[in-house]
Amino acid sequence: MPTTSSSCVYDCIVVGSGNAGSCAALSAKDSGCARVLIVDKCSPDWVGGNGYFTAGAHRTVHDGLHDLLPIVCNVEAGSNLASKIDMDPYTAADFTNDILRLGDGRSDPALVRTVVENSRETIQWLHDRVNMSFTFSFNRQAYLVDGRQKFWGGMVLSTEEGGKGVIAAHQAALKEAGIEVWFDTPVTELITEEAVILASGGYEASRALRGKYLGSEWEQAKVRGTPHNTGDGMTLAQAVGARLTGDFTGCHSTCWDFDAPDDTGDRQLSNQYTKSGYTLGIMINADGMRFVDEGEDFRNYTYAKFGKEVLKQPGGFAWQVWDSRTTPWLRKEEYSDDVVRKVWADSVEELAEKLAADGLWNTTQFLNTMKSYNDAVAAFSQESASTKWDPAVKDGLSTQSSAKQLLLPKSNWALPISSPPFLAVKITCGITFTFGGLAIDPETAGVLLDKTGKSIPGLFCTGELVGGLFYGNYPGGSGLTAGAVFGRKAGIEAGKVGQ
C-alpha cells in the first residue's frame, strides 16, 4: 500500500495537483479509496500545474446548443441571447477526425476513441461532481456576425476565470471530499503495491530534456506554464520498467508574447500572453518575410503548431501585423495595452522603421512583402468580388487568383493591410506541453511495461504524461478533456486495487 510514513497509510497516492491529478483523486475517492493523497513538488503558490495557465477550454462531443445550455452559467435557455447563437453539433466523427487529421493519422486510435466517446459524460461529471462553472466561449470561439454569435472550430466550452477557475473548482471539491494535498513533496521512488496515479505533466519546463528530444533550438522556447513540469513522471515510471511512446519530437507550442518571462508562466496574466490574432492579419519574420499560411484553418486548429514555426525563424521571433480594419477584432485579454507592447504607425514605411529598431533586419523586404500581399489580395478581390470576409467561417478570401498568386498563400480571411493606423506586436514561441510520454491501457489508464506490454499492477497515468494521443498538433481544448477522461478512469481502477 502506498505509504508516506509509519503512521500515514493511503489507498491511493496521486502525483500532481493539476486538472488531471485532481480528477483522478476525486474519482479514486468516489470509487472506494478511503484515504487519498495528492503530492506535488511545487509550493502551494503553484498549485494546479499547467491547467492553471489554460483558458479553461474543453472540447467535447455535443448535440448542439440545447445539449449544452443546461451546464453553462452565462446563457439561459429561452433567453434573447440564446436565440441569437449559431452552434452546430460536434459529433464523435468530427472530434475523431480532428485529432487524426491534425496528427497526420499517427495518433493511437484506441486512445482517441476513449477520449472522444467519454468526452460528453466527463464534461457532465465535471459540472456535477466538481461544480465546474462552464461558459460558452464567446470571447475565444465566436464572432458577432450580422447580429448573431457564430461559433466556429468545433470547440464551444470554457470556464469562468479560465484555468484559474478550473483549479479553484478542483481545490474546493478536493477539500470537500477530504482529500489531502501535500506540497513541497517531491517523489523520488515508486512503490506500486497498491495504487499510484502519475499526473505530473510532461518535460516542457526542462531545457535539457527539450534539447534532448525536441532539438537544441527548443532550449530557447519560453515556458508558458508551471516551471515544475520537468519530466519527473517519466523518470520514475521508467525506473519500474514503463514503456515510453508517442511523439517525442512534438509539442504544443503557440505564438507567445516576446516580452513574457523565459522559464515560467505568469500566475497573474497566465494565458493572456497568448497571441492568437494572426488569422486577422499576417506574420512577418526578421528577414521581412511571411512564413506560414495564417488562414490555413481556424485558429484553434493551428495555434498549437505555429509557435514551432516562429521558433524556426531568424532570432526565434516575428511580428504579427494588422491595420485599422481588423485591430478592433483582436481579443482584449491578449492585446490590451496593459498586456502587450504595441508598435503603432501611420504608414507601412513608418512601421518598418520602428520595427528596425526592434530587430527587423531587412526593411526593404518587409515593404516588398506587404506590397506583394496587398497586391495579391486586391487581385483576388477583383476576380471574386462576391466572396465576403467572415471570420466565423472559412470564407475562402485568399491571396490566390488567376492574375496573381503568392508562393505562400493566405487561404482565408485575407484582407488588405492598407488602412492606417498599422499595428505590430512582437512574438516568440511559448511551449505548453510535450506529446511524448508513457504508454497506457486506454480502458484503465494503467501504465504498460516496456518488455511485455502488460499493465504494471497499481500504476496509472493521466494528463500530459500520457503518450500516443497527440502528434505534431492537436485540436484546441482537447488537453483538459483528455486529462479528465483518463483521470476518471485511473481513479476508478485505483478503487479496485485493494479489493
Side-chain angles (χ1 to χ4, degrees):
M1 181 173 291
T3 305
T4 56
S5 75
S6 59
S7 60
C8 296
V9 179
Y10 295 88
D11 301 297
C12 177
I13 295 177
V14 179
V15 184
S17 66
N19 170 68
S22 298
C23 288
L26 288 166
S27 178
K29 182 74 172 183
D30 293 347
S31 300
C33 292
R35 296 200 68 186
V36 178
L37 172 68
I38 294 177
V39 297
D40 202 316
K41 70 177 182 180
C42 72
S43 67
D45 292 341
W46 284 92
V47 62
N50 272 350
Y52 182 93
F53 293 90
T54 70
H58 288 72
R59 184 175 290 262
T60 181
V61 170
H62 65 85
D63 290 333
L65 182 64
H66 72 277
D67 182 17
L68 297 179
L69 274 173
I71 67 167
V72 298
C73 60
N74 63 337
V75 180
E76 293 185 6
S79 66
N80 183 53
L81 177 56
S83 70
K84 296 180 179 179
I85 295 174
D86 293 333
M87 181 185 297
D88 294 331
Y90 189 64
T91 66
D94 293 332
F95 198 170
T96 300
N97 291 338
D98 281 341
I99 295 178
L100 292 178
R101 73 181 176 87
L102 296 186
D104 294 326
R106 294 175 292 170
S107 299
D108 183 325
L111 289 175
V112 174
R113 183 169 57 251
T114 299
V115 171
V116 170
E117 292 180 354
N118 289 274
S119 60
R120 182 63 183 88
E121 176 190 348
T122 298
I123 293 298
Q124 193 67 46
W125 179 83
L126 287 168
H127 174 270
D128 298 342
R129 176 66 180 88
V130 186
N131 198 28
M132 197 76 71
S133 295
F134 286 109
T135 61
F136 285 143
S137 187
F138 294 110
N139 63 325
R140 292 177 59 83
Q141 294 296 147
Y143 286 114
L144 183 63
V145 179
D146 297 328
R148 300 193 63 79
Q149 291 284 354
K150 298 176 67 174
F151 279 87
W152 46 267
M155 210 290 299
V156 300
L157 289 179
S158 187
T159 54
E160 280 193 321
E161 301 298 322
K164 298 176 184 179
V166 169
I167 300 306
H170 277 307
Q171 287 294 295
L174 293 170
K175 183 178 180 180
E176 183 179 357
I179 294 172
E180 297 178 58
V181 184
W182 291 7
F183 296 101
D184 300 306
T185 308
V187 177
T188 58
E189 183 181 0
L190 289 180
I191 302 173
T192 57
E193 294 175 0
E194 292 204 12
V196 174
I197 302 173
L198 296 175
S200 54
Y203 56 86
E204 62 276 354
S206 167
R207 284 181 183 252
L209 290 181
R210 294 202 307 267
K212 175 182 177 180
Y213 290 117
L214 302 176
S216 59
E217 68 275 15
W218 284 93
E219 295 177 19
Q220 305 307 312
K222 290 181 182 283
V223 176
R224 283 189 59 190
T226 177
H228 297 289
N229 284 9
T230 53
D232 301 349
M234 287 197 311
T235 301
L236 290 166
Q238 281 185 283
V240 295
R243 174 182 295 176
L244 299 184
T245 192
D247 182 10
F248 276 87
T249 63
C251 63
H252 176 315
S253 61
T254 190
C255 299
W256 198 242
D257 195 310
F258 181 83
D259 297 321
D262 288 339
D263 297 315
T264 177
D266 183 300
R267 295 284 287 189
Q268 182 61 40
L269 290 177
S270 63
N271 195 57
Q272 290 181 262
Y273 280 132
T274 299
K275 297 292 169 276
S276 60
Y278 53 82
T279 59
L280 301 169
I282 60 176
M283 295 196 284
I284 299 181
N285 66 16
D287 284 333
M289 301 287 291
R290 290 175 58 243
F291 53 93
V292 296
D293 178 353
E294 302 90 345
E296 171 189 324
D297 206 334
F298 289 116
R299 184 266 317 163
N300 62 352
Y301 294 132
T302 59
Y303 77 108
K305 70 173 184 176
F306 276 178
K308 177 180 181 179
E309 299 307 316
V310 175
L311 191 65
K312 291 179 181 177
Q313 304 314 303
F317 61 83
W319 289 271
Q320 297 175 343
V321 181
W322 310 268
D323 73 358
S324 62
R325 289 183 183 88
T326 50
T327 49
W329 291 81
L330 295 174
R331 299 212 310 258
K332 292 181 180 178
E333 63 265 34
E334 295 180 12
Y335 293 99
S336 63
D337 292 343
D338 59 344
V339 171
V340 67
R341 176 168 55 92
K342 298 177 179 178
V343 180
W344 290 99
D346 291 325
S347 69
V348 174
E349 291 76 16
E350 181 188 4
L351 186 63
E353 291 179 7
K354 289 185 174 181
L355 295 186
D358 197 27
L360 177 63
W361 302 343
N362 192 330
T363 56
T364 299
Q365 182 58 60
F366 176 88
L367 294 173
N368 288 339
T369 295
M370 294 290 287
K371 183 177 187 304
S372 296
Y373 170 80
N374 284 333
D375 287 349
V377 172
F380 179 90
S381 180
Q382 285 186 334
E383 188 172 287
S384 306
S386 61
T387 304
K388 303 300 182 183
W389 185 74
D390 186 341
V393 299
K394 287 197 244 185
D395 59 10
L397 196 65
S398 82
T399 56
Q400 311 302 94
S401 65
S402 61
K404 185 175 179 62
Q405 296 186 350
L406 299 182
L407 289 177
L408 179 60
K410 184 174 182 183
S411 299
N412 293 284
W413 313 298
L415 290 175
I417 302 177
S418 56
S419 299
F422 302 92
L423 172 63
V425 165
K426 194 173 187 180
I427 58 167
T428 186
C429 171
I431 185 168
T432 311
F433 66 86
T434 44
F435 291 159
L438 301 180
I440 67 167
D441 180 327
E443 293 304 314
T444 66
V447 177
L448 303 183
L449 278 166
D450 188 37
K451 289 185 177 180
T452 67
K454 295 181 179 180
S455 296
I456 300 174
L459 185 60
F460 307 93
C461 174
T462 184
E464 298 174 6
L465 192 51
V466 172
L469 180 59
F470 303 126
Y471 282 78
N473 194 9
Y474 96 132
S478 301
L480 289 176
T481 300
V485 166
F486 290 119
R488 287 187 70 202
K489 285 186 172 293
I492 291 169
E493 295 301 318
K496 300 176 182 178
V497 171
Q499 296 177 4

